[in-house]
Amino acid sequence: MKKSIMAAAVTLAFAGAANAATTHTMTDGRFDFKDAGGNVTSDGHNDVQGAFDMVNGTGSFTTSTNFFGFTWNADVVEMRMHNTMMGGTDMSAESHTFAFTVQTMANFSTGDTTKCISVASAGYNGCADEIAGGWANFGGPRAYSYNYTLNAGQFAAHTLFDWSSSEDIPVLAIMQVTNDPMVDGFMTVASVDLAGNVSGGGSLYGVPMIQCSTAADNDGCGPFPGQTPIFSGTIVPVSAVPVPAAVWLFGSGLLGLVGVARRKMA
């Protein structure tokens, strides 16, 4: 019976939200940061705000609180959903990859250098402006990737952060829905690490920021390699999108949590 309701909701989802620029928002997100030694910094805050197009897998989020002296914002360049998030019934794990290229560019007339990120699968090319402006390739592009697994009720956001003078720092955020959105009408989410551990119960998990190279290579991915950003919060449908139209995203409420309950009972 529940699966039939889910299928109907999925049909309504694509009919009602396919052209929406913003389908969901977050206003009370929590951000913490765990360093390479596993210690949580004192710069965590509860004012993460975001606006997302969950249909097309894009969006952005930011904060007004300084993090080590600067505010940050992030663009979601693509999302990956477990099939249960889109009305599927296959509970098995899925393998995915967040692949990107770091390119160091040099302007030989001025001596200026800059770094840029390209994410081919998302059609994002952060080097376009530099190339169009006559900058020359310097050192060649370097390709990096995260290989990760999504379980039932999980989705991943491939994001590029701006902080201080650093732009387009690649960050992989894997999230688990921890409530029943079909009942509640909203989604409570928490970070997941590459091993599938979910934040909560006094523990904080997430995906460490990738260390692209040594400093000598001059093409590092950002100022915090190996350290872990951790997110949690509530994602709600905007008023322009009927709750049933958003339920395709909320499939974990019926399917993911059933799997969790079964594992606990076992």
PDB file of all heavy atoms in Angstrom, residues 175-208:
ATOM      1  N   MET A 175      24.407  12.802   2.572  1.00  0.00           N
ATOM      2  CA  MET A 175      23.402  13.045   3.602  1.00  0.00           C
ATOM      3  C   MET A 175      22.451  11.860   3.740  1.00  0.00           C
ATOM      4  O   MET A 175      22.103  11.210   2.753  1.00  0.00           O
ATOM      5  CB  MET A 175      22.595  14.301   3.265  1.00  0.00           C
ATOM      6  CG  MET A 175      23.436  15.529   2.928  1.00  0.00           C
ATOM      7  SD  MET A 175      24.548  16.053   4.259  1.00  0.00           S
ATOM      8  CE  MET A 175      23.366  16.551   5.498  1.00  0.00           C
ATOM      9  N   GLN A 176      22.039  11.605   4.965  1.00  0.00           N
ATOM     10  CA  GLN A 176      21.039  10.570   5.273  1.00  0.00           C
ATOM     11  C   GLN A 176      19.780  11.237   5.809  1.00  0.00           C
ATOM     12  O   GLN A 176      19.843  12.092   6.700  1.00  0.00           O
ATOM     13  CB  GLN A 176      21.575   9.604   6.332  1.00  0.00           C
ATOM     14  CG  GLN A 176      20.552   8.597   6.850  1.00  0.00           C
ATOM     15  CD  GLN A 176      20.267   7.491   5.864  1.00  0.00           C
ATOM     16  OE1 GLN A 176      21.177   6.779   5.452  1.00  0.00           O
ATOM     17  NE2 GLN A 176      19.014   7.333   5.489  1.00  0.00           N
ATOM     18  N   VAL A 177      18.635  10.864   5.274  1.00  0.00           N
ATOM     19  CA  VAL A 177      17.368  11.323   5.820  1.00  0.00           C
ATOM     20  C   VAL A 177      17.063  10.485   7.064  1.00  0.00           C
ATOM     21  O   VAL A 177      17.079   9.259   7.007  1.00  0.00           O
ATOM     22  CB  VAL A 177      16.235  11.180   4.796  1.00  0.00           C
ATOM     23  CG1 VAL A 177      14.913  11.647   5.384  1.00  0.00           C
ATOM     24  CG2 VAL A 177      16.565  11.970   3.531  1.00  0.00           C
ATOM     25  N   THR A 178      16.810  11.149   8.188  1.00  0.00           N
ATOM     26  CA  THR A 178      16.674  10.431   9.458  1.00  0.00           C
ATOM     27  C   THR A 178      15.259  10.450  10.023  1.00  0.00           C
ATOM     28  O   THR A 178      15.034   9.910  11.112  1.00  0.00           O
ATOM     29  CB  THR A 178      17.630  11.025  10.503  1.00  0.00           C
ATOM     30  OG1 THR A 178      17.315  12.420  10.698  1.00  0.00           O
ATOM     31  CG2 THR A 178      19.089  10.891  10.054  1.00  0.00           C
ATOM     32  N   ASN A 179      14.310  11.072   9.323  1.00  0.00           N
ATOM     33  CA  ASN A 179      12.926  11.065   9.802  1.00  0.00           C
ATOM     34  C   ASN A 179      12.034  10.436   8.738  1.00  0.00           C
ATOM     35  O   ASN A 179      12.532   9.855   7.766  1.00  0.00           O
ATOM     36  CB  ASN A 179      12.468  12.496  10.115  1.00  0.00           C
ATOM     37  CG  ASN A 179      12.324  13.336   8.852  1.00  0.00           C
ATOM     38  OD1 ASN A 179      13.167  13.261   7.944  1.00  0.00           O
ATOM     39  ND2 ASN A 179      11.294  14.156   8.778  1.00  0.00           N
ATOM     40  N   ASP A 180      10.734  10.526   8.909  1.00  0.00           N
ATOM     41  CA  ASP A 180       9.781  10.018   7.921  1.00  0.00           C
ATOM     42  C   ASP A 180       9.106  11.214   7.256  1.00  0.00           C
ATOM     43  O   ASP A 180       8.109  11.743   7.756  1.00  0.00           O
ATOM     44  CB  ASP A 180       8.736   9.129   8.586  1.00  0.00           C
ATOM     45  CG  ASP A 180       7.841   8.435   7.559  1.00  0.00           C
ATOM     46  OD1 ASP A 180       7.769   8.927   6.416  1.00  0.00           O
ATOM     47  OD2 ASP A 180       7.219   7.415   7.900  1.00  0.00           O
ATOM     48  N   PRO A 181       9.637  11.688   6.124  1.00  0.00           N
ATOM     49  CA  PRO A 181       9.100  12.891   5.488  1.00  0.00           C
ATOM     50  C   PRO A 181       7.675  12.732   4.990  1.00  0.00           C
ATOM     51  O   PRO A 181       6.955  13.718   4.854  1.00  0.00           O
ATOM     52  CB  PRO A 181      10.068  13.137   4.324  1.00  0.00           C
ATOM     53  CG  PRO A 181      11.303  12.373   4.685  1.00  0.00           C
ATOM     54  CD  PRO A 181      10.822  11.180   5.434  1.00  0.00           C
ATOM     55  N   MET A 182       7.260  11.503   4.685  1.00  0.00           N
ATOM     56  CA  MET A 182       5.891  11.296   4.227  1.00  0.00           C
ATOM     57  C   MET A 182       4.891  11.667   5.327  1.00  0.00           C
ATOM     58  O   MET A 182       3.775  12.081   5.058  1.00  0.00           O
ATOM     59  CB  MET A 182       5.684   9.837   3.817  1.00  0.00           C
ATOM     60  CG  MET A 182       6.385   9.450   2.534  1.00  0.00           C
ATOM     61  SD  MET A 182       5.539  10.046   1.064  1.00  0.00           S
ATOM     62  CE  MET A 182       4.140   8.933   0.990  1.00  0.00           C
ATOM     63  N   VAL A 183       5.324  11.541   6.571  1.00  0.00           N
ATOM     64  CA  VAL A 183       4.479  11.905   7.705  1.00  0.00           C
ATOM     65  C   VAL A 183       4.717  13.351   8.117  1.00  0.00           C
ATOM     66  O   VAL A 183       3.787  14.118   8.363  1.00  0.00           O
ATOM     67  CB  VAL A 183       4.745  10.959   8.896  1.00  0.00           C
ATOM     68  CG1 VAL A 183       3.995  11.434  10.142  1.00  0.00           C
ATOM     69  CG2 VAL A 183       4.345   9.532   8.546  1.00  0.00           C
ATOM     70  N   ASP A 184       5.988  13.752   8.164  1.00  0.00           N
ATOM     71  CA  ASP A 184       6.343  15.060   8.716  1.00  0.00           C
ATOM     72  C   ASP A 184       6.220  16.201   7.712  1.00  0.00           C
ATOM     73  O   ASP A 184       6.044  17.351   8.107  1.00  0.00           O
ATOM     74  CB  ASP A 184       7.769  15.026   9.256  1.00  0.00           C
ATOM     75  CG  ASP A 184       7.944  13.986  10.355  1.00  0.00           C
ATOM     76  OD1 ASP A 184       6.950  13.695  11.049  1.00  0.00           O
ATOM     77  OD2 ASP A 184       9.066  13.468  10.509  1.00  0.00           O
ATOM     78  N   GLY A 185       6.389  15.907   6.412  1.00  0.00           N
ATOM     79  CA  GLY A 185       6.327  16.959   5.409  1.00  0.00           C
ATOM     80  C   GLY A 185       7.628  17.715   5.223  1.00  0.00           C
ATOM     81  O   GLY A 185       7.684  18.692   4.482  1.00  0.00           O
ATOM     82  N   PHE A 186       8.678  17.301   5.914  1.00  0.00           N
ATOM     83  CA  PHE A 186       9.998  17.904   5.750  1.00  0.00           C
ATOM     84  C   PHE A 186      11.038  16.805   5.920  1.00  0.00           C
ATOM     85  O   PHE A 186      10.713  15.673   6.276  1.00  0.00           O
ATOM     86  CB  PHE A 186      10.237  19.026   6.772  1.00  0.00           C
ATOM     87  CG  PHE A 186      10.070  18.581   8.201  1.00  0.00           C
ATOM     88  CD1 PHE A 186      11.119  17.984   8.890  1.00  0.00           C
ATOM     89  CD2 PHE A 186       8.860  18.753   8.870  1.00  0.00           C
ATOM     90  CE1 PHE A 186      10.967  17.560  10.206  1.00  0.00           C
ATOM     91  CE2 PHE A 186       8.696  18.339  10.188  1.00  0.00           C
ATOM     92  CZ  PHE A 186       9.754  17.744  10.849  1.00  0.00           C
ATOM     93  N   MET A 187      12.306  17.134   5.634  1.00  0.00           N
ATOM     94  CA  MET A 187      13.379  16.176   5.691  1.00  0.00           C
ATOM     95  C   MET A 187      14.412  16.588   6.729  1.00  0.00           C
ATOM     96  O   MET A 187      14.955  17.676   6.651  1.00  0.00           O
ATOM     97  CB  MET A 187      14.079  16.121   4.323  1.00  0.00           C
ATOM     98  CG  MET A 187      14.114  14.773   3.729  1.00  0.00           C
ATOM     99  SD  MET A 187      15.060  14.663   2.183  1.00  0.00           S
ATOM    100  CE  MET A 187      15.508  16.310   1.748  1.00  0.00           C
ATOM    101  N   THR A 188      14.695  15.739   7.696  1.00  0.00           N
ATOM    102  CA  THR A 188      15.800  15.949   8.621  1.00  0.00           C
ATOM    103  C   THR A 188      16.995  15.160   8.103  1.00  0.00           C
ATOM    104  O   THR A 188      16.874  13.964   7.834  1.00  0.00           O
ATOM    105  CB  THR A 188      15.436  15.483  10.041  1.00  0.00           C
ATOM    106  OG1 THR A 188      14.285  16.198  10.490  1.00  0.00           O
ATOM    107  CG2 THR A 188      16.583  15.735  11.003  1.00  0.00           C
ATOM    108  N   VAL A 189      18.134  15.828   7.951  1.00  0.00           N
ATOM    109  CA  VAL A 189      19.283  15.182   7.323  1.00  0.00           C
ATOM    110  C   VAL A 189      20.518  15.295   8.211  1.00  0.00           C
ATOM    111  O   VAL A 189      20.627  16.200   9.037  1.00  0.00           O
ATOM    112  CB  VAL A 189      19.587  15.798   5.940  1.00  0.00           C
ATOM    113  CG1 VAL A 189      18.423  15.580   4.984  1.00  0.00           C
ATOM    114  CG2 VAL A 189      19.908  17.287   6.052  1.00  0.00           C
ATOM    115  N   ALA A 190      21.431  14.349   8.033  1.00  0.00           N
ATOM    116  CA  ALA A 190      22.686  14.344   8.775  1.00  0.00           C
ATOM    117  C   ALA A 190      23.788  13.803   7.876  1.00  0.00           C
ATOM    118  O   ALA A 190      23.547  12.962   7.009  1.00  0.00           O
ATOM    119  CB  ALA A 190      22.562  13.485  10.027  1.00  0.00           C
ATOM    120  N   SER A 191      25.006  14.284   8.099  1.00  0.00           N
ATOM    121  CA  SER A 191      26.144  13.870   7.278  1.00  0.00           C
ATOM    122  C   SER A 191      26.463  12.392   7.445  1.00  0.00           C
ATOM    123  O   SER A 191      26.272  11.807   8.511  1.00  0.00           O
ATOM    124  CB  SER A 191      27.388  14.689   7.639  1.00  0.00           C
ATOM    125  OG  SER A 191      27.334  15.978   7.085  1.00  0.00           O
ATOM    126  N   VAL A 192      26.995  11.826   6.378  1.00  0.00           N
ATOM    127  CA  VAL A 192      27.408  10.424   6.335  1.00  0.00           C
ATOM    128  C   VAL A 192      28.843  10.383   5.847  1.00  0.00           C
ATOM    129  O   VAL A 192      29.250  11.177   4.986  1.00  0.00           O
ATOM    130  CB  VAL A 192      26.502   9.626   5.374  1.00  0.00           C
ATOM    131  CG1 VAL A 192      26.943   8.176   5.278  1.00  0.00           C
ATOM    132  CG2 VAL A 192      25.047   9.706   5.822  1.00  0.00           C
ATOM    133  N   ASP A 193      29.646   9.468   6.396  1.00  0.00           N
ATOM    134  CA  ASP A 193      31.013   9.340   5.895  1.00  0.00           C
ATOM    135  C   ASP A 193      31.091   8.280   4.808  1.00  0.00           C
ATOM    136  O   ASP A 193      30.087   7.647   4.455  1.00  0.00           O
ATOM    137  CB  ASP A 193      31.996   9.061   7.030  1.00  0.00           C
ATOM    138  CG  ASP A 193      31.806   7.691   7.687  1.00  0.00           C
ATOM    139  OD1 ASP A 193      31.034   6.859   7.156  1.00  0.00           O
ATOM    140  OD2 ASP A 193      32.427   7.453   8.736  1.00  0.00           O
ATOM    141  N   LEU A 194      32.275   8.089   4.261  1.00  0.00           N
ATOM    142  CA  LEU A 194      32.429   7.158   3.141  1.00  0.00           C
ATOM    143  C   LEU A 194      32.135   5.723   3.549  1.00  0.00           C
ATOM    144  O   LEU A 194      31.844   4.884   2.695  1.00  0.00           O
ATOM    145  CB  LEU A 194      33.843   7.269   2.564  1.00  0.00           C
ATOM    146  CG  LEU A 194      34.159   8.587   1.854  1.00  0.00           C
ATOM    147  CD1 LEU A 194      35.638   8.642   1.447  1.00  0.00           C
ATOM    148  CD2 LEU A 194      33.275   8.782   0.639  1.00  0.00           C
ATOM    149  N   ALA A 195      32.230   5.432   4.849  1.00  0.00           N
ATOM    150  CA  ALA A 195      31.947   4.084   5.344  1.00  0.00           C
ATOM    151  C   ALA A 195      30.477   3.895   5.691  1.00  0.00           C
ATOM    152  O   ALA A 195      30.082   2.822   6.134  1.00  0.00           O
ATOM    153  CB  ALA A 195      32.812   3.780   6.560  1.00  0.00           C
ATOM    154  N   GLY A 196      29.660   4.950   5.515  1.00  0.00           N
ATOM    155  CA  GLY A 196      28.234   4.833   5.773  1.00  0.00           C
ATOM    156  C   GLY A 196      27.798   5.217   7.161  1.00  0.00           C
ATOM    157  O   GLY A 196      26.630   5.063   7.514  1.00  0.00           O
ATOM    158  N   ASN A 197      28.708   5.714   8.006  1.00  0.00           N
ATOM    159  CA  ASN A 197      28.336   6.132   9.353  1.00  0.00           C
ATOM    160  C   ASN A 197      27.579   7.449   9.304  1.00  0.00           C
ATOM    161  O   ASN A 197      27.938   8.377   8.577  1.00  0.00           O
ATOM    162  CB  ASN A 197      29.585   6.303  10.223  1.00  0.00           C
ATOM    163  CG  ASN A 197      30.322   4.995  10.423  1.00  0.00           C
ATOM    164  OD1 ASN A 197      29.739   4.000  10.828  1.00  0.00           O
ATOM    165  ND2 ASN A 197      31.614   4.993  10.117  1.00  0.00           N
ATOM    166  N   VAL A 198      26.509   7.550  10.094  1.00  0.00           N
ATOM    167  CA  VAL A 198      25.644   8.721  10.108  1.00  0.00           C
ATOM    168  C   VAL A 198      25.901   9.531  11.370  1.00  0.00           C
ATOM    169  O   VAL A 198      26.023   8.971  12.462  1.00  0.00           O
ATOM    170  CB  VAL A 198      24.156   8.304  10.058  1.00  0.00           C
ATOM    171  CG1 VAL A 198      23.254   9.538  10.018  1.00  0.00           C
ATOM    172  CG2 VAL A 198      23.901   7.408   8.856  1.00  0.00           C
ATOM    173  N   SER A 199      25.958  10.870  11.237  1.00  0.00           N
ATOM    174  CA  SER A 199      26.162  11.732  12.388  1.00  0.00           C
ATOM    175  C   SER A 199      25.003  11.583  13.363  1.00  0.00           C
ATOM    176  O   SER A 199      23.855  11.439  12.971  1.00  0.00           O
ATOM    177  CB  SER A 199      26.259  13.193  11.939  1.00  0.00           C
ATOM    178  OG  SER A 199      27.388  13.384  11.120  1.00  0.00           O
ATOM    179  N   GLY A 200      25.314  11.665  14.641  1.00  0.00           N
ATOM    180  CA  GLY A 200      24.266  11.568  15.655  1.00  0.00           C
ATOM    181  C   GLY A 200      24.741  10.776  16.849  1.00  0.00           C
ATOM    182  O   GLY A 200      25.789  10.127  16.819  1.00  0.00           O
ATOM    183  N   GLY A 201      23.983  10.854  17.937  1.00  0.00           N
ATOM    184  CA  GLY A 201      24.337  10.107  19.131  1.00  0.00           C
ATOM    185  C   GLY A 201      25.666  10.518  19.727  1.00  0.00           C
ATOM    186  O   GLY A 201      26.373   9.702  20.314  1.00  0.00           O
ATOM    187  N   GLY A 202      26.030  11.790  19.562  1.00  0.00           N
ATOM    188  CA  GLY A 202      27.300  12.277  20.093  1.00  0.00           C
ATOM    189  C   GLY A 202      28.460  12.119  19.136  1.00  0.00           C
ATOM    190  O   GLY A 202      29.561  12.585  19.418  1.00  0.00           O
ATOM    191  N   SER A 203      28.244  11.447  17.995  1.00  0.00           N
ATOM    192  CA  SER A 203      29.310  11.259  17.017  1.00  0.00           C
ATOM    193  C   SER A 203      29.070  12.164  15.817  1.00  0.00           C
ATOM    194  O   SER A 203      27.931  12.453  15.454  1.00  0.00           O
ATOM    195  CB  SER A 203      29.363   9.800  16.549  1.00  0.00           C
ATOM    196  OG  SER A 203      29.621   8.938  17.630  1.00  0.00           O
ATOM    197  N   LEU A 204      30.155  12.618  15.216  1.00  0.00           N
ATOM    198  CA  LEU A 204      30.082  13.469  14.033  1.00  0.00           C
ATOM    199  C   LEU A 204      30.830  12.798  12.895  1.00  0.00           C
ATOM    200  O   LEU A 204      31.990  12.407  13.037  1.00  0.00           O
ATOM    201  CB  LEU A 204      30.690  14.844  14.323  1.00  0.00           C
ATOM    202  CG  LEU A 204      29.964  15.694  15.364  1.00  0.00           C
ATOM    203  CD1 LEU A 204      30.780  16.937  15.702  1.00  0.00           C
ATOM    204  CD2 LEU A 204      28.601  16.114  14.846  1.00  0.00           C
ATOM    205  N   TYR A 205      30.147  12.642  11.778  1.00  0.00           N
ATOM    206  CA  TYR A 205      30.763  11.998  10.632  1.00  0.00           C
ATOM    207  C   TYR A 205      30.580  12.869   9.400  1.00  0.00           C
ATOM    208  O   TYR A 205      29.669  13.678   9.303  1.00  0.00           O
ATOM    209  CB  TYR A 205      30.131  10.628  10.370  1.00  0.00           C
ATOM    210  CG  TYR A 205      30.328   9.632  11.479  1.00  0.00           C
ATOM    211  CD1 TYR A 205      29.299   9.334  12.360  1.00  0.00           C
ATOM    212  CD2 TYR A 205      31.551   8.984  11.639  1.00  0.00           C
ATOM    213  CE1 TYR A 205      29.471   8.411  13.381  1.00  0.00           C
ATOM    214  CE2 TYR A 205      31.729   8.064  12.653  1.00  0.00           C
ATOM    215  CZ  TYR A 205      30.690   7.775  13.524  1.00  0.00           C
ATOM    216  OH  TYR A 205      30.869   6.869  14.530  1.00  0.00           O
ATOM    217  N   GLY A 206      31.434  12.666   8.441  1.00  0.00           N
ATOM    218  CA  GLY A 206      31.355  13.379   7.172  1.00  0.00           C
ATOM    219  C   GLY A 206      32.444  12.878   6.256  1.00  0.00           C
ATOM    220  O   GLY A 206      33.154  11.915   6.571  1.00  0.00           O
ATOM    221  N   VAL A 207      32.618  13.520   5.118  1.00  0.00           N
ATOM    222  CA  VAL A 207      33.630  13.117   4.149  1.00  0.00           C
ATOM    223  C   VAL A 207      34.791  14.108   4.208  1.00  0.00           C
ATOM    224  O   VAL A 207      34.592  15.304   3.972  1.00  0.00           O
ATOM    225  CB  VAL A 207      33.049  13.080   2.726  1.00  0.00           C
ATOM    226  CG1 VAL A 207      34.130  12.703   1.718  1.00  0.00           C
ATOM    227  CG2 VAL A 207      31.897  12.088   2.654  1.00  0.00           C
ATOM    228  N   PRO A 208      36.008  13.657   4.533  1.00  0.00           N
ATOM    229  CA  PRO A 208      37.146  14.564   4.582  1.00  0.00           C
ATOM    230  C   PRO A 208      37.374  15.251   3.238  1.00  0.00           C
ATOM    231  O   PRO A 208      37.169  14.662   2.185  1.00  0.00           O
ATOM    232  CB  PRO A 208      38.321  13.650   4.945  1.00  0.00           C
ATOM    233  CG  PRO A 208      37.694  12.463   5.603  1.00  0.00           C
ATOM    234  CD  PRO A 208      36.380  12.288   4.914  1.00  0.00           C
TER     235      PRO A 208
END
